[in-house]
Amino acid sequence: MLLTLQVLTKSSCLRLTKASICNGKVLRTTTPARFLVSSRCLASTSTNTAEQSRIDINGASFVVDNWTNVTPKILSYVGMQKHLQTNHPLSIIRQRIVNYFYKTYKTSRGNPLFSVYDKLNPVVTVQQNFDNLLIPLDHVSRNKSDCYYINKSYLLRAHTTAHQVDLISSGLDNFLVVGEVYRRDEIDSTHYPVFHQLDAVRLVTKDKLFERNPDLEIFENEWREIQGNKQKQQLIHSSSKCLDQSKQPCHTLEAVKLMEHELKQVLLGLAQDLFGSNIQYRWVDTYFPFTQPSWELEIFYKDNWLEVLGCGIMRHEILQQSGAHNSIGYAFGLGLERLAMVLFDIPDIRLFWSNDSGFLSQFSEKDLYKLPKYKPVSMYPQCKNDLSFWLPAGVDVDAGFVPNDFYDLVRTEAGDVVEQISLVDKFKHPKKGLTSVCFRIVYRHMERTLTQTEVNEIHKRIADACVKNFNVVIR
């Protein structure tokens, strides 16, 4: 059985600290993320008054429209940068990975080859997050139910891959991107609306890839002959899904196999660095819109197969639009929380956002290669309350009612005292035609015992908010 500890379904010699890259240019930005939010504009996005139609994030003002679904709770995470917090388990894992790449790839002078970007603005455009990465218009990941949209043109990045094209366009060939990403999801011990990803890209040209075999080529002869020809776009975009696991039409098999070998050797070495040299592993063919061929690396850990990361050979269309026409590259991405939960035995993803000294004092950066196992500070009891309500006429769980909307409402009203939510009952009245749903909400504070009186008050706020926002009738 595959162990799913996935927060989704999936120093430096050159460090960008106080800058943002946009359209291939390095631009100065403001100091660490701060935001100003008008709660009125979030509560009523249909209002057209100037006072209620904008959101300010990181010093930039954004127009609110019918795509806006960010909440004050979600915006409160912007700028926290847990991956850079001293002695935080996410920072420790980040440093382990960065150190591994510094050690593995060096310039002729012995300097690190990879540069690191860990403070990039999480506000990105739809083009950066989707279009640049060849994600189809009908792909489920674009849905409002999956992403936190600021408006129809901007969103909080759903993956750090969103910065890939901008960084390559600025002239970078080898880089790591680390930062928080935002996705609407269910509520349980392994899912959270904000988590952290590390993304990497490595590009090489013919003279580097075939240094010992200069007669070999990266690109097929037929493809090279039509460079600059109008047929080029037709050839490159001939397969939108890229399901062929052997190679892309433009690449030679020799080039792909060499890149695949390097990619898998490096990532296997990373897994061994983190989990030990004697791990059992396997490569699983998969599909990503932005790589072809693509793989997932799984390791056998504690009697289960654990997915560690996804990777592949970058789609050449991405390199072309970035100006890297003569290169071939690989890319991979992984979730820091997923690795940290396993390596530190952290049982609940909410703990990564705790400021409790009993939690944070257990971890130290003094020895990055001595990872302690988390010891519970205390086992606070759970409080379980059910919430049942009738949905409006014509609305069903599968038509009109989005559970992720309910989860966001709960997060807004209750914060992190909610440990888990599950849909325990669904009933359609045979005569009235109305649908009733029942959600079981498990409350547990990470740092103290909740009283039933407190829970009841929070539960009532959630119920009242459901009536106001979803026009439901509490049962």
Side-chain angles (χ1 to χ4, degrees):
M1 176 180 179
L2 178 63
L3 175 63
T4 303
L5 280 177
Q6 193 169 348
V7 187
L8 47 119
T9 10
K10 301 220 206 83
S11 292
S12 163
C13 67
L14 177 62
R15 183 184 294 268
L16 187 63
T17 56
K18 293 185 178 179
S20 173
I21 292 185
C22 180
N23 296 327
K25 298 180 180 180
V26 177
L27 307 176
R28 300 298 293 181
T29 65
T30 58
T31 52
R34 296 184 175 91
F35 65 92
L36 297 172
V37 183
S38 169
S39 60
R40 286 180 295 174
C41 75
L42 292 175
S44 179
T45 59
S46 62
T47 305
N48 292 321
T49 63
E51 183 182 3
Q52 296 179 331
S53 62
R54 305 191 74 86
I55 304 177
D56 293 332
I57 307 173
N58 281 353
S61 182
F62 300 90
V63 175
V64 171
D65 59 24
N66 60 357
W67 276 85
T68 305
N69 63 2
V70 291
T71 65
K73 176 63 176 177
I74 294 301
L75 289 174
S76 70
Y77 295 108
V78 176
M80 285 192 176
Q81 297 182 337
K82 291 292 185 180
H83 62 289
L84 299 177
Q85 182 177 327
T86 303
N87 295 327
H88 196 281
L90 295 179
S91 178
I92 293 171
I93 299 301
R94 171 189 58 84
Q95 292 182 70
R96 282 283 299 268
I97 298 172
V98 169
N99 288 350
Y100 172 79
F101 273 84
Y102 282 175
K103 177 178 63 177
T104 303
Y105 288 101
K106 294 183 179 181
T107 66
S108 58
R109 295 185 177 183
N111 296 320
L113 184 63
F114 274 72
S115 51
V116 179
Y117 301 89
D118 50 23
K119 296 182 181 178
L120 297 180
N121 193 336
V123 177
V124 297
T125 65
V126 169
Q127 179 174 344
Q128 288 173 303
N129 201 82
F130 299 115
D131 300 338
N132 285 353
L133 301 174
L134 312 180
I135 297 175
L137 292 175
D138 60 352
H139 199 277
V140 65
S141 64
R142 290 178 178 256
N143 293 345
K144 287 176 63 176
S145 60
D146 280 43
C147 295
Y148 286 104
Y149 281 90
I150 299 169
N151 56 36
K152 65 180 179 180
S153 300
Y154 292 89
L155 70 158
L156 297 175
R157 65 186 171 209
H159 44 196
T160 48
T161 319
H163 301 288
Q164 203 173 85
V165 167
D166 291 335
L167 291 170
I168 297 172
S169 297
S170 71
L172 297 173
D173 292 332
N174 304 276
F175 57 85
L176 301 169
V177 182
V178 194
E180 75 275 14
V181 297
Y182 303 77
R183 295 186 189 177
R184 305 183 72 196
D185 214 331
E186 58 192 293
I187 297 179
D188 60 30
S189 63
T190 62
H191 291 80
Y192 206 76
V194 190
F195 56 101
H196 296 76
Q197 279 190 339
L198 183 145
D199 227 65
V201 164
R202 171 162 166 76
L203 306 182
V204 295
T205 54
K206 174 187 172 181
D207 58 340
K208 177 65 177 178
L209 185 64
F210 295 125
E211 185 176 5
R212 299 181 181 179
N213 300 280
D215 294 335
L216 297 178
E217 298 285 348
I218 288 178
F219 302 106
E220 295 282 6
N221 289 332
E222 178 187 0
W223 189 88
R224 286 188 292 124
E225 289 172 0
I226 62 173
Q227 287 295 291
N229 190 294
K230 292 182 180 179
Q231 299 178 34
K232 178 178 66 175
Q233 294 300 321
Q234 181 179 355
L235 173 66
I236 293 179
H237 293 286
S238 59
S239 176
S240 61
K241 289 190 176 296
C242 278
L243 297 178
D244 183 0
Q245 268 295 104
S246 60
K247 69 182 189 68
Q248 298 170 45
C250 58
H251 292 147
T252 64
L253 189 59
E254 294 87 354
V256 172
K257 288 301 181 183
L258 271 180
M259 289 300 294
E260 177 185 346
H261 176 74
E262 178 181 336
L263 170 65
K264 290 184 175 180
Q265 286 296 108
V266 168
L267 295 185
L268 176 58
L270 174 61
Q272 291 172 331
D273 184 83
L274 293 171
F275 293 94
S277 58
N278 296 322
I279 57 171
Q280 290 181 260
Y281 68 92
R282 66 185 182 189
W283 294 97
V284 180
D285 289 352
T286 189
Y287 163 74
F288 301 116
F290 29 81
T291 55
Q292 178 200 7
S294 306
W295 306 274
E296 290 176 344
L297 173 60
E298 296 180 356
I299 65 170
F300 196 69
Y301 190 81
K302 293 185 176 180
D303 300 322
N304 291 284
W305 285 103
L306 169 68
E307 178 194 334
V308 176
L309 53 83
C311 62
I313 306 301
M314 294 182 66
R315 289 274 296 273
H316 193 61
E317 299 95 312
I318 296 176
L319 301 188
Q320 283 189 308
Q321 66 176 313
S322 306
H325 305 276
N326 299 319
S327 300
I328 185 172
Y330 72 63
F332 78 87
L334 54 82
L336 294 183
E337 277 89 345
R338 185 193 317 167
L339 297 181
M341 290 181 77
V342 173
L343 292 170
F344 292 106
D345 277 354
I346 295 175
D348 195 308
I349 195 170
R350 292 178 299 163
L351 283 165
F352 292 112
W353 299 91
S354 172
N355 293 316
D356 182 76
S357 59
F359 171 72
L360 295 174
S361 63
Q362 297 187 35
F363 311 99
S364 173
E365 297 177 3
K366 291 182 179 179
D367 187 350
L368 295 176
Y369 294 86
K370 185 179 180 180
L371 304 183
K373 298 300 182 182
Y374 167 72
K375 297 179 181 179
V377 178
S378 179
M379 292 303 294
Y380 301 108
Q382 294 179 332
C383 294
K384 299 180 182 180
N385 281 23
D386 288 350
L387 181 60
S388 301
F389 48 82
W390 292 103
L391 297 176
V395 176
D396 200 341
V397 174
D398 302 317
F401 179 77
V402 180
N404 280 348
D405 291 339
F406 176 70
Y407 303 149
D408 272 343
L409 181 146
V410 172
R411 287 190 176 103
T412 298
E413 297 297 328
D416 287 345
V417 300
V418 174
E419 180 178 75
Q420 184 177 4
I421 299 179
S422 54
L423 179 63
V424 295
D425 187 45
K426 173 186 172 183
F427 167 74
K428 189 162 187 176
H429 197 285
K431 294 183 178 180
K432 295 181 179 180
L434 298 177
T435 298
S436 170
V437 293
C438 178
F439 288 95
R440 178 156 297 156
I441 304 178
V442 179
Y443 299 88
R444 172 152 50 188
H445 202 289
M446 299 304 300
E447 298 164 9
R448 62 180 179 84
T449 299
L450 288 171
T451 66
Q452 190 61 54
T453 300
E454 286 181 285
V455 170
N456 291 343
E457 291 176 356
I458 297 171
H459 202 69
K460 185 178 186 306
R461 289 206 308 268
I462 294 172
D464 292 344
C466 285
V467 173
K468 180 179 179 180
N469 289 271
F470 303 141
N471 196 30
V472 302
V473 176
I474 303 297
R475 295 186 62 186

